Amino acid sequence: MEKICGLHCTKISNIGVTFGKDIILKDVSIHVHCGELTVIIGRNGAGKTTAMKLILGLLASDGGEISVNGMKVHYGNTPTNRFVGYLPDVPEFYSCMTPFEYLRFCGEISGMSSQ
């Protein structure tokens, strides 16, 4: 997938995830076109958070491929996160960090300078 019009694109192709015997996502494909804003909604347990963790490289899939802005997403390697905005309904904060330390941490793991 390539960068079109200077905007970012995301492509999810045939993603699958299982936890034990439970099938969480099966053969999911989504293409977010350049300039689009996409919202994932659904009932509890539908796989929304799992899908976002895959897009962010925080969870490994059982198959398929995800690319963001033309770069393949790999589990544990998240340089593509600088192109993805994610607002969970219940954000998690680390109690050992001040708000400033937490924001700096989030920026640094997304590839931003700490300055």
Side-chain angles (χ1 to χ4, degrees):
M1 192 159 91
E2 60 187 40
K3 195 172 180 180
I4 303 170
C5 309
L7 299 173
H8 311 296
C9 303
T10 300
K11 187 173 183 180
I12 300 168
S13 301
N14 308 106
I15 289 297
V17 175
T18 56
F19 295 137
K21 294 183 179 181
D22 296 326
I23 299 171
I24 308 304
L25 297 173
K26 182 178 179 182
D27 199 28
V28 174
S29 296
I30 302 169
H31 185 181
V32 179
H33 297 279
C34 298
E36 286 185 337
L37 174 66
T38 301
V39 178
I40 302 173
I41 59 174
R43 62 179 172 75
N44 288 347
K48 304 176 300 291
T49 300
T50 300
M52 283 308 304
K53 286 181 178 180
L54 292 169
I55 293 167
L56 295 169
L58 302 175
L59 183 67
S61 69
D62 296 334
E65 185 174 294
I66 299 173
S67 63
V68 175
N69 197 31
M71 296 184 293
K72 188 172 178 179
V73 174
H74 298 280
Y75 169 66
N77 185 9
T78 59
T80 55
N81 286 357
R82 71 186 81 154
F83 306 116
V84 179
Y86 172 52
L87 180 62
D89 63 340
V90 181
E92 296 181 31
F93 299 101
Y94 298 104
S95 60
C96 63
M97 294 181 181
T98 66
F100 180 78
E101 290 169 332
Y102 180 74
L103 290 173
R104 178 183 288 163
F105 170 72
C106 290
E108 286 175 353
I109 63 173
S110 297
M112 298 175 72
S113 168
S114 63
Q115 300 296 325

